[in-house]
Amino acid sequence: MSVTAAAGFRAAGVAAGLKSSGGLDVALVVNDGPRSAAAGVFTANRAKANPVLWSQQALEGGSARAVILNSGGANCFTGPFGFQTTHQTAERVAERLSTPSAPIGAIDVQVCSTGLIGVGDESFRQAVLTGVDRAVDALAHEGADAAAGLRAAQAIMTTDSVPKQAVANGEGWVVGGMAKGAGMLAPGLATMLVVLTTDADVTADVLDRALRAATRVTFDRLDSDGCMSTNDTVLLLASGASGITPDEASLTDAVVAVCDDLAQQLQLDAEGASHDITIEVRHAATEDEAVDVARSVARSNLFKAAIFGNDPNWGRVLAAIGTTDASFDPYAVDVAFNGVRVCRAGEPDRPREEVDLTPRATHILIDLFAGDATASIRTNDLTHGYVHENSAYAS
Amino acid sequence: MSVTAAAGFRAAGVAAGLKSSGGLDVALVVNDGPRSAAAGVFTANRAKANPVLWSQQALEGGSARAVILNSGGANCFTGPFGFQTTHQTAERVAERLSTPSAPIGAIDVQVCSTGLIGVGDESFRQAVLTGVDRAVDALAHEGADAAAGLRAAQAIMTTDSVPKQAVANGEGWVVGGMAKGAGMLAPGLATMLVVLTTDADVTADVLDRALRAATRVTFDRLDSDGCMSTNDTVLLLASGASGITPDEASLTDAVVAVCDDLAQQLQLDAEGASHDITIEVRHAATEDEAVDVARSVARSNLFKAAIFGNDPNWGRVLAAIGTTDASFDPYAVDVAFNGVRVCRAGEPDRPREEVDLTPRATHILIDLFAGDATASIRTNDLTHGYVHENSAYAS
């Protein structure tokens, strides 16, 4: 179940000719209310795509009635023409969804795009607008069921091998979501588009706090290849259709759960990866330092290539953490690979032969002996598959 | 010509059983004076190998009579036993080189090691000490000729495919050098050992300034894979044997020239690379910002994989520079690949088909239109060869 799990939402996924395969490439998620509260987190990259520039601005009022998403073109670095395309897309959605009793403006429409940077010409524009028409038509027939949610999740896939959906149930209310992303997964958000929906009856301020709390410990700690995208967008919409207002902690827990589930799905589907690595740092002086240390390892190509080769190369772990400013003594650190402590207090401990790195799930434990804070980063290994996908696929 | 190009220096390269191939693995460079001025730059990594901890301390007086180097083991994270090995190695060199009229202390001996982290047990120690004896014996026969310099350069190779040497001639004086390094080449020095020699008659202070000026614009701007080593060491020794004291600017120019030559040789020999990439940033607000912007691109795995695939993917360049804090407008930037401007003011310009990325030498030009500063970073592409070497070779 997905974006349609929460009451008050409809979705559609249609083919509009943006993908040369003819596959689904335009998705629409509509919030039928009664509430239209919304919050968003966008890429920290200064090079923001046109849809991000638009959506960030449009969301300032804390409200959104619909999200239109396309794969097959990022509409980034496409100039004023590209920005006009985003604007026209939002206008078309608004026109088509408006009723006399419930008019919708372009400002009520969030726009997300993914695909190649630099793609956004006239034919792209026409295909997206065609997609809007087809998606609105599809909504009318079948918009509120799980199959429609699945098609929306499929329509935003690029190099993803599977659609990604998640749900968490509260007491009488639900949080659901969908995501795309399989590479360029980095700090300050993965290359990904995520739409989360809830029928809880909450304000935009509550949504904003819950979403930021969730992305901080989930998507922001997924660092597949250290690269930050221009199009990252995570949206959370509330319809209020359940009529229930959960306490903020319960809502936050549910949003965290859905984001964590989606973040793990993104990790498992990372381009060309053969290991899904969790780097856990314990006993750091602060949580931020734990994150810094874990991320330094996640960013080490030498470490990542060693994992691909099933090599428990703890020297590369220590060489990576030595580049950080975190509080610890490099010669008082323990490192374990999949439960085998191969380095104790900066010296060799158990023989590397005891470590089994053949499973895909890989756990690196770094104990800094410098405090009480803990954090984990999810990453992947550096493989021939990664090099192949990212050299052969122009994105 | 190499470390023996300057008058007053002898060198040796011998096999001591550290390399399983039986190849040369211990090198010795001796400064016969009359002067013994020296300067060094060491890894910025907080995780420093035992030889670095020793040498940094020993060099505080600005003097060194000899440098002993080994491949086949980094002697890093080997605990107090490893530090004692380094100390014993320096003592053995001092004992063997001392004469009644010119006694040498361990403090006069710089020690450098390269190879696997965590290797430094009793058999390692004995092999290194055997290497010291053999190297001193070899010195007596043939130490001052070019062949001896070449053998020293060969003895420090690890995954290097070729020995690396360079020379620059002043008016009556010379600067020569050797280097090893083929991966883990990153900021704040590449994974490399470099020994530079000169017969100019200059003080340690002059050497120190010349060396820091040179490494800042050469080795510090070589960023092959973003990984910083635990053992990086660059030493510059002066014998004064020419009797000539050049002006400081001339000496600095010569040191820069030798370092630049060696840095390029390191780039050309980077593990598994198929492209040698120069990323040039023009019109930055400051030189530091130019370096930051160029390095952000050099660190992007997506960019590096695209170059491997001969794909002039300027979107990945802009996505990388958008992660920096440098002064520029991401939508006013030009990007050219090998002389073809594919992006102008943040929009597509010449068709990507016009770019020929088949040559190994690759030039990326980024114009920020934000000031007058320029800087370049040298890097390599991300290839199947890199993944193979760094997953199959435990280092």
Side-chain angles (χ1 to χ4, degrees):
Chain A
M1 295 281 283
S2 166
V3 288
T4 52
F9 289 94
R10 287 178 295 157
V14 298
L18 287 158
K19 281 182 180 162
S20 56
S21 65
L24 304 179
D25 47 24
V26 171
L28 178 62
V29 178
V30 176
N31 181 355
D32 288 317
R35 194 184 264 285
S36 61
V41 176
F42 299 90
T43 182
N45 201 311
R46 292 167 60 195
K48 296 183 204 304
N50 286 307
V52 171
L53 295 170
W54 166 266
S55 296
Q56 220 164 359
Q57 193 73 25
L59 201 58
E60 291 210 339
S63 172
R65 295 287 301 273
V67 185
I68 182 86
L69 312 94
N70 75 272
S71 53
N75 195 6
C76 181
F77 292 113
T78 47
F81 184 87
F83 190 79
Q84 288 159 11
T85 297
T86 294
H87 189 198
Q88 281 189 25
T89 304
E91 279 185 328
R92 179 74 66 99
V93 171
E95 272 168 38
R96 292 293 315 269
L97 292 179
S98 283
T99 61
S101 61
I104 295 179
I107 197 85
D108 298 314
V109 180
Q110 293 285 295
V111 183
C112 304
S113 298
T114 179
L116 257 174
I117 289 176
V119 168
D121 61 3
E122 180 64 34
S123 68
F124 170 83
R125 178 186 289 185
Q126 292 309 320
V128 171
L129 294 175
T130 299
V132 171
D133 291 338
R134 291 182 184 166
V136 174
D137 292 344
L139 272 185
H141 304 301
E142 50 191 10
D145 63 5
L150 176 60
R151 278 194 298 278
Q154 289 168 330
I156 57 175
M157 291 166 62
T158 55
T159 56
D160 305 67
S161 68
V162 289
K164 298 166 183 77
Q165 304 181 89
V167 70
N169 290 296
E171 294 186 11
W173 52 275
V174 169
V175 176
M178 67 178 185
K180 71 81 42 183
M184 214 192 264
L185 298 173
L189 297 186
T191 289
M192 56 180 199
L193 304 180
V194 177
V195 180
L196 308 171
T197 57
T198 181
D199 47 15
D201 189 14
V202 292
T203 65
D205 285 349
V206 171
L207 288 181
D208 190 64
R209 287 195 294 269
L211 184 60
R212 287 178 194 281
T215 57
R216 191 180 76 81
V217 296
T218 57
F219 300 124
D220 283 355
R221 295 187 185 174
L222 174 65
D223 195 334
S224 172
D225 63 4
C227 295
M228 194 194 296
S229 159
T230 52
N231 288 59
D232 299 330
T233 303
V234 182
L235 299 170
L236 172 56
L237 314 179
S239 70
S242 71
I244 295 171
T245 303
D247 65 87
E248 190 167 332
S250 301
L251 179 72
T252 301
D253 286 349
V255 176
V256 169
V258 171
C259 289
D260 192 59
D261 188 336
L262 292 172
Q264 185 169 21
Q265 292 182 50
L266 291 167
Q267 179 192 31
L268 297 180
D269 200 25
E271 288 168 352
S274 70
H275 290 79
D276 304 312
I277 308 167
T278 300
I279 300 167
E280 180 181 350
V281 173
R282 286 194 196 158
H283 296 118
T286 66
E287 187 178 348
D288 283 351
E289 291 191 355
V291 169
D292 284 350
V293 168
R295 199 185 299 287
S296 74
V297 179
R299 291 283 184 89
S300 166
N301 279 351
L302 288 174
F303 163 78
K304 290 154 76 88
I307 296 296
F308 170 58
N310 296 334
D311 171 16
N313 197 312
W314 56 271
R316 292 178 180 177
V317 172
L318 292 173
I321 70 177
T323 65
T324 71
D325 296 322
S327 307
F328 61 86
D329 175 356
Y331 291 92
V333 168
D334 291 358
V335 180
F337 282 65
N338 286 349
V340 178
R341 190 177 61 189
V342 285
C343 170
R344 181 169 173 277
E347 293 189 48
D349 189 16
R350 305 300 311 166
R352 60 171 63 211
E353 292 71 26
E354 290 183 12
V355 179
D356 180 10
L357 284 171
T358 54
R360 192 176 163 100
T362 306
H363 185 254
I364 311 297
L365 178 62
I366 300 165
D367 198 323
L368 298 180
F369 298 102
D372 294 319
T374 293
S376 293
I377 290 278
R378 287 176 166 133
T379 189
N380 297 98
D381 53 351
L382 179 59
T383 69
H384 291 300
Y386 179 88
V387 173
H388 176 74
E389 284 207 39
N390 289 296
S391 57
Y393 166 77
S395 70
Chain B
M1 293 283 281
S2 165
V3 288
T4 52
F9 290 93
R10 287 178 295 157
V14 298
L18 288 158
K19 282 182 180 163
S20 55
S21 65
L24 304 178
D25 47 24
V26 171
L28 178 63
V29 179
V30 177
N31 181 354
D32 289 317
R35 193 185 265 285
S36 61
V41 176
F42 300 91
T43 182
N45 200 313
R46 291 167 59 193
K48 296 184 203 304
N50 286 309
V52 171
L53 295 171
W54 166 265
S55 296
Q56 220 165 359
Q57 193 72 24
L59 201 57
E60 289 209 340
S63 172
R65 296 288 300 273
V67 186
I68 182 84
L69 312 92
N70 74 274
S71 52
N75 195 6
C76 182
F77 292 113
T78 48
F81 184 88
F83 190 79
Q84 287 159 12
T85 297
T86 294
H87 189 198
Q88 281 190 25
T89 304
E91 279 185 329
R92 180 74 65 98
V93 171
E95 272 169 36
R96 292 292 317 267
L97 292 178
S98 284
T99 61
S101 61
I104 295 179
I107 198 85
D108 298 314
V109 181
Q110 291 285 294
V111 183
C112 303
S113 298
T114 180
L116 256 175
I117 289 176
V119 169
D121 62 5
E122 180 63 36
S123 69
F124 171 84
R125 177 186 288 184
Q126 292 309 321
V128 171
L129 294 175
T130 299
V132 171
D133 291 339
R134 291 183 184 164
V136 174
D137 292 344
L139 271 184
H141 304 301
E142 50 192 9
D145 63 5
L150 176 59
R151 278 193 299 276
Q154 289 167 330
I156 56 175
M157 291 166 61
T158 55
T159 55
D160 305 67
S161 68
V162 290
K164 298 166 183 76
Q165 303 182 89
V167 69
N169 290 296
E171 295 187 11
W173 53 274
V174 169
V175 176
M178 67 178 185
K180 70 82 42 185
M184 216 193 263
L185 299 173
L189 297 185
T191 287
M192 54 180 201
L193 304 180
V194 178
V195 180
L196 308 171
T197 56
T198 181
D199 47 15
D201 190 13
V202 291
T203 64
D205 285 350
V206 170
L207 289 182
D208 189 64
R209 286 194 295 271
L211 183 60
R212 287 178 193 281
T215 56
R216 190 180 76 82
V217 296
T218 57
F219 300 124
D220 283 353
R221 294 189 185 173
L222 174 64
D223 196 334
S224 172
D225 62 6
C227 295
M228 192 193 296
S229 160
T230 52
N231 289 58
D232 299 331
T233 304
V234 182
L235 299 171
L236 172 56
L237 314 179
S239 69
S242 70
I244 297 172
T245 302
D247 65 87
E248 190 167 333
S250 302
L251 178 72
T252 301
D253 286 350
V255 176
V256 169
V258 172
C259 290
D260 192 59
D261 189 334
L262 291 172
Q264 185 169 20
Q265 292 182 50
L266 291 168
Q267 178 192 31
L268 297 180
D269 200 24
E271 290 167 353
S274 70
H275 289 79
D276 305 312
I277 309 168
T278 300
I279 301 168
E280 181 182 350
V281 174
R282 286 194 197 158
H283 297 116
T286 66
E287 187 177 348
D288 283 350
E289 291 192 353
V291 169
D292 284 350
V293 167
R295 198 183 300 286
S296 73
V297 179
R299 292 283 184 90
S300 165
N301 279 350
L302 288 173
F303 163 77
K304 290 155 76 87
I307 295 297
F308 170 58
N310 296 334
D311 171 17
N313 196 314
W314 57 271
R316 292 177 179 176
V317 172
L318 292 174
I321 70 177
T323 65
T324 72
D325 296 322
S327 307
F328 62 86
D329 174 356
Y331 292 92
V333 167
D334 290 359
V335 180
F337 282 65
N338 285 349
V340 178
R341 190 177 62 188
V342 284
C343 170
R344 181 169 174 277
E347 292 187 50
D349 190 14
R350 305 301 311 166
R352 60 171 63 209
E353 292 71 25
E354 290 183 11
V355 178
D356 179 9
L357 284 172
T358 54
R360 192 174 162 101
T362 307
H363 185 254
I364 311 296
L365 179 62
I366 300 166
D367 198 322
L368 297 180
F369 298 102
D372 293 321
T374 294
S376 293
I377 291 279
R378 288 177 167 131
T379 190
N380 297 98
D381 53 352
L382 179 59
T383 69
H384 290 300
Y386 179 88
V387 173
H388 176 73
E389 286 208 38
N390 288 297
S391 56
Y393 166 76
S395 71

Coordinates of all heavy atoms in Angstrom, one line a residue, chain B residues 297-327:
Chain B
V297 N 34.1 18.4 -8.0 CA 33.9 17.6 -9.3 C 34.8 16.4 -9.2 O 34.4 15.3 -9.6 CB 34.2 18.5 -10.5 CG1 34.0 17.7 -11.8 CG2 33.3 19.7 -10.5
A298 N 36.1 16.6 -8.8 CA 37.0 15.4 -8.7 C 36.5 14.4 -7.8 O 36.9 13.2 -7.9 CB 38.4 15.9 -8.3
R299 N 35.7 14.7 -6.8 CA 35.2 13.8 -5.8 C 33.9 13.1 -6.2 O 33.4 12.3 -5.5 CB 35.0 14.5 -4.5 CG 36.2 14.9 -3.8 CD 36.9 13.8 -3.2 NE 38.1 14.2 -2.4 CZ 38.1 14.6 -1.1 NH1 37.0 14.6 -0.5 NH2 39.2 14.9 -0.5
S300 N 33.3 13.5 -7.4 CA 32.0 13.0 -7.7 C 32.1 11.7 -8.5 O 32.6 11.6 -9.6 CB 31.2 14.0 -8.6 OG 30.2 13.4 -9.3
N301 N 31.7 10.6 -7.8 CA 31.8 9.3 -8.5 C 31.0 9.2 -9.8 O 31.3 8.6 -10.7 CB 31.3 8.2 -7.5 CG 32.4 7.8 -6.6 OD1 33.6 8.2 -6.7 ND2 32.0 7.0 -5.6
L302 N 29.8 10.0 -9.8 CA 29.0 9.9 -11.0 C 29.7 10.6 -12.1 O 29.7 10.1 -13.3 CB 27.7 10.6 -10.7 CG 26.7 9.9 -9.8 CD1 25.5 10.7 -9.5 CD2 26.3 8.6 -10.5
F303 N 30.4 11.8 -11.9 CA 31.1 12.4 -12.9 C 32.3 11.5 -13.4 O 32.5 11.4 -14.6 CB 31.7 13.7 -12.3 CG 32.8 14.3 -13.2 CD1 32.6 15.0 -14.4 CD2 34.2 14.2 -12.8 CE1 33.6 15.5 -15.1 CE2 35.2 14.7 -13.5 CZ 34.9 15.3 -14.7
K304 N 33.0 10.9 -12.4 CA 34.1 10.1 -12.8 C 33.7 8.9 -13.6 O 34.5 8.4 -14.5 CB 34.9 9.7 -11.5 CG 35.6 10.9 -10.9 CD 35.8 10.7 -9.4 CE 36.9 9.8 -9.0 NZ 38.2 10.5 -9.0
A305 N 32.6 8.3 -13.3 CA 32.1 7.1 -14.0 C 31.7 7.6 -15.4 O 31.9 6.8 -16.4 CB 31.0 6.4 -13.3
A306 N 31.1 8.8 -15.5 CA 30.7 9.3 -16.8 C 31.9 9.5 -17.8 O 31.8 9.1 -18.9 CB 29.9 10.6 -16.7
I307 N 33.0 10.0 -17.2 CA 34.2 10.2 -18.0 C 34.7 8.8 -18.5 O 35.1 8.7 -19.7 CB 35.3 10.9 -17.2 CG1 34.8 12.3 -16.9 CG2 36.6 11.0 -18.0 CD1 34.5 13.2 -18.1
F308 N 34.7 7.8 -17.6 CA 35.1 6.5 -18.0 C 34.2 6.0 -19.3 O 34.7 5.4 -20.2 CB 34.9 5.5 -16.9 CG 35.0 4.0 -17.3 CD1 36.2 3.6 -17.9 CD2 34.0 3.2 -17.0 CE1 36.3 2.2 -18.2 CE2 34.1 1.8 -17.4 CZ 35.3 1.4 -18.0
G309 N 33.0 6.4 -19.3 CA 32.1 6.0 -20.4 C 32.1 7.0 -21.5 O 31.2 7.0 -22.4
N310 N 33.1 7.9 -21.5 CA 33.2 8.9 -22.6 C 32.0 9.8 -22.8 O 31.6 10.2 -23.9 CB 33.6 8.3 -23.9 CG 35.0 7.6 -23.9 OD1 35.8 8.0 -23.1 ND2 35.2 6.6 -24.7
D311 N 31.4 10.1 -21.6 CA 30.1 10.8 -21.6 C 30.3 12.2 -21.1 O 30.7 12.4 -19.9 CB 29.1 10.1 -20.8 CG 27.8 10.8 -20.5 OD1 27.5 11.8 -21.2 OD2 27.1 10.4 -19.6
P312 N 30.2 13.3 -21.9 CA 30.4 14.7 -21.4 C 29.2 15.2 -20.6 O 28.5 16.1 -21.0 CB 30.6 15.4 -22.7 CG 29.8 14.7 -23.7 CD 29.8 13.2 -23.3
N313 N 29.1 14.6 -19.4 CA 27.9 14.8 -18.6 C 28.0 16.0 -17.8 O 28.3 16.0 -16.6 CB 27.6 13.5 -17.8 CG 26.2 13.4 -17.2 OD1 25.7 14.4 -16.7 ND2 25.6 12.3 -17.3
W314 N 27.7 17.2 -18.4 CA 27.9 18.4 -17.6 C 26.9 18.6 -16.5 O 27.2 19.4 -15.6 CB 27.8 19.6 -18.6 CG 26.6 19.7 -19.4 CD1 26.4 19.1 -20.6 CD2 25.4 20.4 -19.1 NE1 25.1 19.4 -21.1 CE2 24.5 20.2 -20.1 CE3 25.0 21.2 -18.0 CZ2 23.2 20.8 -20.1 CZ3 23.7 21.8 -18.0 CH2 22.9 21.5 -19.1
G315 N 25.8 17.9 -16.6 CA 24.8 18.0 -15.5 C 25.5 17.5 -14.2 O 25.2 18.0 -13.1
R316 N 26.3 16.5 -14.3 CA 27.0 16.0 -13.1 C 28.0 16.9 -12.6 O 28.3 17.0 -11.4 CB 27.6 14.6 -13.3 CG 26.5 13.5 -13.6 CD 27.0 12.1 -13.9 NE 25.9 11.2 -14.1 CZ 26.1 9.9 -14.5 NH1 27.3 9.4 -14.7 NH2 25.1 9.1 -14.6
V317 N 28.6 17.7 -13.5 CA 29.5 18.8 -13.0 C 28.8 19.8 -12.2 O 29.2 20.2 -11.1 CB 30.2 19.4 -14.3 CG1 31.1 20.6 -13.8 CG2 31.1 18.4 -15.0
L318 N 27.7 20.3 -12.8 CA 26.9 21.3 -12.1 C 26.3 20.8 -10.8 O 26.3 21.5 -9.8 CB 25.8 21.9 -13.0 CG 26.4 22.6 -14.2 CD1 25.2 23.0 -15.1 CD2 27.1 23.9 -13.8
A319 N 25.9 19.6 -10.8 CA 25.4 19.0 -9.5 C 26.4 18.9 -8.4 O 26.2 19.1 -7.3 CB 24.8 17.6 -9.8
A320 N 27.7 18.7 -8.9 CA 28.8 18.6 -7.9 C 29.1 20.0 -7.4 O 29.3 20.2 -6.2 CB 30.0 18.0 -8.5
I321 N 29.3 21.0 -8.3 CA 29.7 22.3 -7.8 C 28.6 23.0 -7.0 O 28.9 23.8 -6.1 CB 30.2 23.2 -9.0 CG1 29.0 23.7 -9.9 CG2 31.3 22.5 -9.8 CD1 29.5 24.6 -11.0
G322 N 27.4 22.6 -7.2 CA 26.2 23.1 -6.4 C 26.3 22.7 -4.9 O 25.6 23.2 -4.1
T323 N 27.2 21.7 -4.6 CA 27.3 21.3 -3.2 C 28.3 22.2 -2.4 O 28.5 22.0 -1.2 CB 27.8 19.8 -3.1 OG1 29.1 19.7 -3.6 CG2 26.8 18.9 -3.9
T324 N 29.0 23.1 -3.1 CA 30.1 23.9 -2.5 C 29.5 25.2 -2.0 O 28.3 25.5 -2.3 CB 31.2 24.2 -3.4 OG1 30.7 25.2 -4.4 CG2 31.7 23.0 -4.1
D325 N 30.3 25.9 -1.2 CA 29.9 27.2 -0.7 C 30.5 28.3 -1.4 O 30.4 29.5 -1.0 CB 30.2 27.3 0.8 CG 29.5 26.3 1.7 OD1 28.3 26.1 1.4 OD2 30.1 25.8 2.6
A326 N 31.2 28.0 -2.5 CA 31.9 29.0 -3.3 C 31.0 30.1 -3.8 O 29.8 29.8 -4.1 CB 32.7 28.4 -4.4
S327 N 31.5 31.3 -4.1 CA 30.7 32.4 -4.7 C 30.5 32.2 -6.1 O 31.5 32.2 -6.9 CB 31.5 33.7 -4.5 OG 31.8 33.9 -3.1

